[in-house]
Amino acid sequence: RALDFLPAELYPVLIQAAVVDGRKFVVRDLGGTWPFPILSFHWVLDYRECHYDRPRRRRPIHLDDPKKSCMKAVILGVMAHLRRELEGPWHGTRRGRRFPPPSFQGFFSSPSERRCRLRVVDMTSLQTEDEENRVPDTLSSWSITDVLAKACIEVFKNHTAFLKRCSKQRKGSSGASAAPRSIQVEVLADLYVAGDIDLVCDALRIAAVSPLCLKCRDFHAENLSFAHTLDLVQTLDPAGIRRLDLCFNDLDLRDLCGVLVHVTRFTDLLSLKISYAEEEPEMMATRAELQGLSALLGRLTWLKELNLTCCKLSGKLRHALSEVQVPLESLELPVCSLLPNDLAFLSQSIHAPALKKLDLNYLNFSDAFLQPLRDLLEEASASLLHLDLTECRLTDSRLEALLPVLCRCSRLRCLGLCGNPLSSTVLKTLLQETVILRDLRLVYYPYPMDCRRQNLPPPPSASHCVLWHDMDQEHFAVVKAELRRMLVDSGRADIVWTDKFLNYKAVDYF
């Protein structure tokens, strides 16, 4: 009842406070009477994260399912708003007559209901729990998709049934009466699908005619067959798709090209992540097949980020990128079996001077890679923000050889070196040399080789990294403390040096 007299300016503060205090019914009612065109759920939850432990709260925060409960509450409020708007004048119709009469409709509608202007609910960029370690019923990528798809389908079914009733009542009425109003609220979200596609496909197909319209910005699909992947891509509305992640689906190169023919409709696409499986492990994609892939990539004229995870490109990176005429800002090539001539091509391409992110994870590094990688880093030194060399078999001598050009990457923010066989001595050298990089904020470093427990047999070769259970924890704690002290003494306590690779999310450069 208080919402009828509440100034619109108080809504943002109240919905944030309601989320912090775990009052999901208040969140529902505020969402259903939102007096602004846009409601950003990401902004609401950001406030909750920042004020999670504020001492002055009357009720404890419900830690079991706070994000998911609040998300559902907002959607329920929006559904209630749509029902009022779409069915209000026809609600309670009897024998073809509307009740209450038109002259009294303003009296029976509260101010908060009349002023609701909500047109877009933005649920993009939500921080979800790690799928492997999350507790049941917390917010996950799939739970967001599931809740939104079910809500859109339910609203569509209820509204379709309502329109049929209204049509029958108009036909049976002697007097002319106005048709129900038309209104639509868009729900903008990042969608995730794995396995069962029917629910999401149904929600996307009815988007144009449903009062609650599901719109996708970033789309991630995995564990799908070629037919299911194709169905989803064809169902997506090309307008507004920013990222498309099709890694880890059951696709060979021919299937992938068949899907990308439809992806070329996505004229706003900035980021594409793809992978393909070889029909036989010993069979590599031919030059002609990769040039066909490149021709399709070349039609994505706004593409800035390309990820080719697990694509076997040994000596053929040139063919895969030959038709991509727009400089890429992010290139991820993990587990691609690259050769030195692939890095040499990349260093001479149009992409090198524009690269902000370079991922070469699991590169089988040898001395032959040193000069091509140095040349590539030199070309990218003015733009590079993120460099990932995880599990690349970098030894002390190879890292030291890369240090001079690495220190010329003046804008570098993040450096990943996990899983490489490095000593604590070279890690200290790396720290001392890179503190001059004023933008550097995050370094992932491996467990040092000299922190390995002494009673273990020697590793098979110097290229094998140290695992957690092989560590001498006391020795490693001493090394970590010394690295922290060196950062403080150098005046760079703002740099995070960590061995916990999964605890930090990648920077979104878009």
Side-chain angles (χ1 to χ4, degrees):
R1 291 192 296 271
L3 292 179
D4 296 349
F5 311 100
L6 189 69
E9 292 78 10
L10 287 182
Y11 267 71
V13 177
L14 279 178
I15 197 168
Q16 290 169 335
V19 171
V20 169
D21 210 31
R23 296 176 182 264
K24 60 184 180 182
F25 296 112
V26 178
V27 174
R28 178 198 63 191
D29 293 341
L30 291 168
T33 56
W34 194 249
F36 306 104
I38 298 176
L39 173 56
S40 172
F41 196 67
H42 170 65
W43 167 78
V44 171
L45 283 185
D46 266 358
Y47 180 92
R48 184 187 184 283
E49 298 297 336
C50 293
H51 297 75
Y52 194 86
D53 291 319
R54 291 185 70 180
R56 288 186 296 177
R57 58 175 186 264
R58 293 184 179 180
R59 300 173 61 202
I61 297 175
H62 300 290
L63 299 180
D64 56 339
D65 187 11
K67 293 181 180 179
K68 191 172 180 180
S69 293
C70 291
M71 186 188 74
K72 286 183 176 180
V74 168
I75 294 300
L76 287 173
V78 173
M79 292 168 71
H81 158 62
L82 287 171
R83 186 168 59 252
R84 289 193 302 266
E85 289 292 317
L86 294 166
E87 304 179 11
W90 291 77
H91 186 67
T93 52
R94 296 174 183 173
R95 297 183 181 179
R97 293 187 177 184
R98 290 177 295 174
F99 179 83
S103 58
F104 289 92
Q105 285 172 16
F107 178 79
F108 282 90
S109 298
S110 70
S112 58
E113 291 177 358
R114 293 199 308 270
R115 71 182 178 189
C116 185
R117 298 190 211 169
L118 189 62
R119 292 297 175 265
V120 177
V121 180
D122 187 349
M123 292 199 169
T124 59
S125 301
L126 298 184
Q127 296 290 328
T128 57
E129 301 290 339
D130 177 62
E131 294 296 328
E132 294 182 359
N133 301 319
R134 69 185 182 89
V135 296
D137 294 326
T138 53
L139 192 68
S140 67
S141 301
W142 167 243
S143 68
I144 295 172
T145 304
D146 183 60
V147 168
L148 296 181
K150 287 178 178 177
C152 292
I153 292 171
E154 181 182 343
V155 168
F156 175 73
K157 288 180 177 179
N158 291 341
H159 188 55
T160 301
F162 171 74
L163 290 178
K164 288 180 180 179
R165 293 196 304 271
C166 292
S167 177
K168 291 179 180 179
Q169 290 169 354
R170 285 200 301 272
K171 289 179 181 178
S173 173
S174 56
S177 57
R181 290 202 303 166
S182 176
I183 186 175
Q184 190 175 67
V185 172
E186 290 186 2
V187 180
L188 186 61
D190 300 330
L191 303 181
Y192 173 90
V193 178
D196 185 9
I197 70 167
D198 293 340
L199 183 69
V200 177
C201 279
D202 289 345
L204 291 172
R205 287 192 184 103
I206 63 173
V209 293
S210 175
L212 192 60
C213 170
L214 185 60
K215 292 280 188 178
C216 180
R217 186 192 66 165
D218 294 357
F219 191 84
H220 181 158
E222 62 181 50
N223 299 325
L224 303 183
S225 66
F226 167 65
H228 283 174
T229 306
L230 194 60
D231 282 347
L232 275 170
V233 169
Q234 290 176 318
T235 306
L236 287 170
D237 182 357
I241 297 288
R242 183 186 77 153
R243 276 196 170 105
L244 186 65
D245 187 343
L246 300 178
C247 287
F248 309 116
N249 291 297
D250 188 15
L251 306 175
D252 58 26
L253 183 53
R254 185 179 303 173
D255 293 338
L256 179 60
C257 290
V259 172
L260 290 182
V261 168
H262 300 278
V263 172
T264 55
R265 301 179 301 128
F266 299 170
T267 54
D268 296 329
L269 193 67
L270 295 175
S271 172
L272 178 64
K273 298 185 179 184
I274 54 177
S275 62
Y276 61 83
E278 301 290 348
E279 294 181 2
E280 306 234 349
E282 63 274 7
M283 292 180 62
M284 297 284 291
T286 66
R287 174 178 176 177
E289 289 171 333
L290 288 174
Q291 285 178 333
L293 171 65
S294 182
L296 292 169
L297 296 177
R299 291 165 62 181
L300 300 171
T301 55
W302 289 100
L303 198 64
K304 291 184 178 181
E305 179 179 78
L306 180 62
N307 182 311
L308 299 172
T309 295
C310 296
C311 297
K312 298 298 184 280
L313 298 172
S314 298
K316 296 178 181 177
L317 183 62
R318 179 189 305 272
H319 308 314
L321 298 181
S322 59
E323 300 295 326
V324 182
Q325 301 300 319
V326 179
L328 295 169
E329 295 182 9
S330 175
L331 186 58
E332 298 177 77
L333 302 167
V335 203
C336 283
S337 304
L338 299 180
L339 298 178
N341 65 341
D342 293 315
L343 295 192
F345 154 74
L346 196 55
S347 67
Q348 299 165 13
S349 70
I350 61 172
H351 310 295
L355 284 177
K356 294 181 179 179
K357 180 176 182 179
L358 178 62
D359 182 343
L360 299 174
N361 284 354
Y362 298 93
L363 180 69
N364 193 0
F365 207 94
S366 65
D367 290 340
F369 280 96
L370 274 175
Q371 192 56 50
L373 184 54
R374 276 197 294 245
D375 293 341
L376 177 55
L377 293 179
E378 188 71 54
E379 290 296 320
S381 59
S383 61
L384 195 62
L385 304 177
H386 183 119
L387 176 62
D388 200 339
L389 298 174
T390 295
E391 299 259 1
C392 283
R393 302 197 174 194
L394 275 177
T395 58
D396 285 4
S397 59
R398 292 167 184 166
L399 182 58
E400 287 175 335
L402 290 174
L403 264 178
V405 67
L406 195 60
C407 292
R408 286 198 286 276
C409 297
S410 57
R411 300 180 59 196
L412 194 66
R413 297 180 190 171
C414 178
L415 175 62
L417 295 171
C418 286
N420 288 294
L422 302 174
S423 68
S424 58
T425 301
V426 83
L427 289 178
K428 294 171 187 176
T429 303
L430 175 69
L431 188 151
Q432 291 171 336
E433 296 293 326
T434 55
V435 291
I436 64 170
L437 301 175
R438 303 314 303 174
D439 290 338
L440 188 62
R441 292 295 180 271
L442 185 59
V443 176
Y444 302 105
Y445 66 91
Y447 304 133
M449 294 291 288
D450 51 298
C451 290
R452 194 169 182 270
R453 285 190 285 130
Q454 298 298 319
N455 59 344
L456 293 176
S461 72
S463 62
H464 287 172
C465 61
V466 180
L467 301 178
W468 172 254
H469 55 75
D470 293 335
M471 295 286 294
D472 181 336
Q473 300 300 328
E474 291 185 6
H475 188 184
F476 184 45
V478 171
V479 171
K480 290 175 71 172
E482 188 167 358
L483 291 173
R484 284 195 296 268
R485 180 188 57 77
M486 291 173 64
L487 287 172
V488 172
D489 291 347
S490 62
R492 292 306 309 274
D494 58 318
I495 304 179
V496 175
W497 271 61
T498 179
D499 60 297
K500 305 281 192 298
F501 183 70
L502 295 178
N503 285 7
Y504 296 86
K505 290 187 176 291
V507 176
D508 186 346
Y509 296 119
F510 300 132

